[in-house]
Amino acid sequence: ALLGKKMAGQGHRIGMVSAVAALLGSIYTLVAVTSSGPQQFEFPLSNFLNYDWLSLSFYVDRLSALMMVLISTVSTMIHIFSIGYMQGDPGYSRFFSRLGLMTFTLMEMVTSGSLFTLLVWWQLVTWFLYLLLSHNNENAVAVRSAFKTLVILRLGDAALL
């Protein structure tokens, strides 16, 4: 929507640059964590709210860095495949923006350093996956499948809690 008219049919360009940057950044992170050990980042929210347990926390170790490489590699391949597959689709740019949001959210989820942060990113993964699967809202099968996925992920919420 921000550059909608100027980038009509070119929505994949920003997505591809972002996907490749995420892949390169995750490879760098894997190398850095492998050589220097795990890193933790915490942003307390207790300054704004009076809950000491409430903070956004990120923990990057070799496993989460490896998962970041895996997620960004698959995302880059999906971006490359989707350029030709989605060409001419009315929701072309919308699809790539949602795919980028999904990649970002998954990468943040695997680096969650606390249960609260994990729950926040899990909720965003659920909703972004629903939006990504139902991007073609004129196709009843796609919308129905997206809704089924949403229901299944809601059941996963109960298991996670």
Side-chain angles (χ1 to χ4, degrees), residues 37-43 55-61 111-114:
Q39 300 290 320
Q40 181 156 2
F41 307 97
E42 190 163 338
F43 305 99
S55 68
L56 289 177
S57 177
F58 302 96
Y59 182 78
V60 183
D61 59 358
T111 60
S112 296
S114 67

Short mmCIF file of all heavy atoms in Angstrom, two decimals, residues 37-43 55-61 111-114:
data_model
loop_
_atom_site.label_atom_id
_atom_site.label_comp_id
_atom_site.label_asym_id
_atom_site.label_seq_id
_atom_site.Cartn_x
_atom_site.Cartn_y
_atom_site.Cartn_z
N GLY A 37 29.69 -18.07 21.55
CA GLY A 37 28.71 -18.55 22.53
C GLY A 37 27.37 -17.86 22.39
O GLY A 37 27.22 -16.90 21.63
N PRO A 38 26.39 -18.34 23.16
CA PRO A 38 25.03 -17.79 23.06
C PRO A 38 24.94 -16.35 23.55
O PRO A 38 25.74 -15.91 24.37
CB PRO A 38 24.20 -18.71 23.95
CG PRO A 38 25.15 -19.49 24.76
CD PRO A 38 26.48 -19.43 24.12
N GLN A 39 23.96 -15.64 23.00
CA GLN A 39 23.72 -14.24 23.35
C GLN A 39 22.28 -14.09 23.81
O GLN A 39 21.38 -14.71 23.24
CB GLN A 39 23.95 -13.34 22.14
CG GLN A 39 25.34 -13.39 21.58
CD GLN A 39 26.35 -12.74 22.50
OE1 GLN A 39 26.08 -11.70 23.09
NE2 GLN A 39 27.51 -13.37 22.63
N GLN A 40 22.06 -13.25 24.82
CA GLN A 40 20.71 -12.97 25.28
C GLN A 40 20.49 -11.47 25.31
O GLN A 40 21.35 -10.72 25.75
CB GLN A 40 20.45 -13.55 26.67
CG GLN A 40 19.04 -13.27 27.14
CD GLN A 40 18.56 -14.25 28.17
OE1 GLN A 40 19.27 -15.13 28.58
NE2 GLN A 40 17.33 -14.08 28.58
N PHE A 41 19.31 -11.08 24.84
CA PHE A 41 18.92 -9.67 24.83
C PHE A 41 17.58 -9.57 25.53
O PHE A 41 16.67 -10.34 25.24
CB PHE A 41 18.79 -9.15 23.39
CG PHE A 41 20.01 -9.41 22.56
CD1 PHE A 41 20.06 -10.51 21.72
CD2 PHE A 41 21.10 -8.56 22.62
CE1 PHE A 41 21.18 -10.76 20.95
CE2 PHE A 41 22.22 -8.80 21.86
CZ PHE A 41 22.26 -9.91 21.02
N GLU A 42 17.46 -8.62 26.42
CA GLU A 42 16.21 -8.47 27.16
C GLU A 42 15.80 -7.01 27.19
O GLU A 42 16.61 -6.13 27.46
CB GLU A 42 16.36 -9.01 28.58
CG GLU A 42 15.04 -9.11 29.30
CD GLU A 42 15.12 -10.00 30.51
OE1 GLU A 42 16.02 -10.84 30.58
OE2 GLU A 42 14.26 -9.82 31.38
N PHE A 43 14.54 -6.79 26.91
CA PHE A 43 13.97 -5.45 26.92
C PHE A 43 12.83 -5.44 27.93
O PHE A 43 11.72 -5.86 27.62
CB PHE A 43 13.46 -5.07 25.53
CG PHE A 43 14.52 -5.18 24.47
CD1 PHE A 43 14.57 -6.29 23.64
CD2 PHE A 43 15.47 -4.18 24.31
CE1 PHE A 43 15.55 -6.40 22.67
CE2 PHE A 43 16.45 -4.28 23.35
CZ PHE A 43 16.50 -5.39 22.53
N SER A 55 8.71 -9.02 30.00
CA SER A 55 9.82 -8.46 29.22
C SER A 55 9.88 -9.18 27.87
O SER A 55 9.45 -10.32 27.75
CB SER A 55 11.15 -8.64 29.95
OG SER A 55 11.49 -10.00 30.02
N LEU A 56 10.39 -8.46 26.89
CA LEU A 56 10.66 -9.08 25.60
C LEU A 56 12.09 -9.58 25.68
O LEU A 56 13.01 -8.80 25.90
CB LEU A 56 10.49 -8.09 24.46
CG LEU A 56 9.08 -7.67 24.13
CD1 LEU A 56 9.08 -6.62 23.03
CD2 LEU A 56 8.25 -8.87 23.71
N SER A 57 12.26 -10.88 25.51
CA SER A 57 13.56 -11.48 25.68
C SER A 57 13.91 -12.32 24.47
O SER A 57 13.05 -13.05 23.94
CB SER A 57 13.52 -12.35 26.94
OG SER A 57 14.74 -13.01 27.12
N PHE A 58 15.15 -12.22 24.03
CA PHE A 58 15.63 -12.98 22.89
C PHE A 58 16.89 -13.73 23.29
O PHE A 58 17.78 -13.16 23.92
CB PHE A 58 15.92 -12.06 21.70
CG PHE A 58 14.72 -11.27 21.28
CD1 PHE A 58 14.53 -9.98 21.73
CD2 PHE A 58 13.78 -11.84 20.44
CE1 PHE A 58 13.41 -9.26 21.36
CE2 PHE A 58 12.66 -11.12 20.07
CZ PHE A 58 12.48 -9.84 20.52
N TYR A 59 16.96 -15.00 22.92
CA TYR A 59 18.11 -15.83 23.25
C TYR A 59 18.56 -16.51 21.96
O TYR A 59 17.79 -17.25 21.34
CB TYR A 59 17.71 -16.87 24.30
CG TYR A 59 18.85 -17.75 24.74
CD1 TYR A 59 19.80 -17.27 25.64
CD2 TYR A 59 18.98 -19.04 24.27
CE1 TYR A 59 20.84 -18.06 26.06
CE2 TYR A 59 20.03 -19.84 24.68
CZ TYR A 59 20.95 -19.35 25.57
OH TYR A 59 22.01 -20.14 25.98
N VAL A 60 19.80 -16.26 21.58
CA VAL A 60 20.32 -16.84 20.34
C VAL A 60 21.47 -17.76 20.69
O VAL A 60 22.53 -17.32 21.14
CB VAL A 60 20.80 -15.74 19.36
CG1 VAL A 60 21.27 -16.35 18.07
CG2 VAL A 60 19.70 -14.73 19.09
N ASP A 61 21.25 -19.06 20.51
CA ASP A 61 22.30 -20.05 20.66
C ASP A 61 22.49 -20.74 19.31
O ASP A 61 21.92 -20.31 18.30
CB ASP A 61 21.97 -21.04 21.77
CG ASP A 61 20.66 -21.79 21.53
OD1 ASP A 61 19.99 -21.51 20.51
OD2 ASP A 61 20.31 -22.65 22.35
N THR A 111 13.93 -17.31 18.35
CA THR A 111 14.90 -16.68 19.24
C THR A 111 14.25 -16.21 20.54
O THR A 111 14.88 -15.46 21.29
CB THR A 111 15.60 -15.49 18.56
OG1 THR A 111 14.63 -14.52 18.20
CG2 THR A 111 16.37 -15.93 17.33
N SER A 112 13.04 -16.63 20.81
CA SER A 112 12.35 -16.22 22.03
C SER A 112 13.14 -16.65 23.26
O SER A 112 13.54 -17.79 23.37
CB SER A 112 10.95 -16.83 22.10
OG SER A 112 10.17 -16.36 21.05
N GLY A 113 13.32 -15.71 24.16
CA GLY A 113 14.08 -16.00 25.37
C GLY A 113 13.22 -16.19 26.60
O GLY A 113 13.73 -16.44 27.69
N SER A 114 11.92 -16.06 26.45
CA SER A 114 11.01 -16.25 27.59
C SER A 114 9.69 -16.80 27.06
O SER A 114 9.39 -16.71 25.87
CB SER A 114 10.77 -14.94 28.33
OG SER A 114 10.05 -14.04 27.52
#
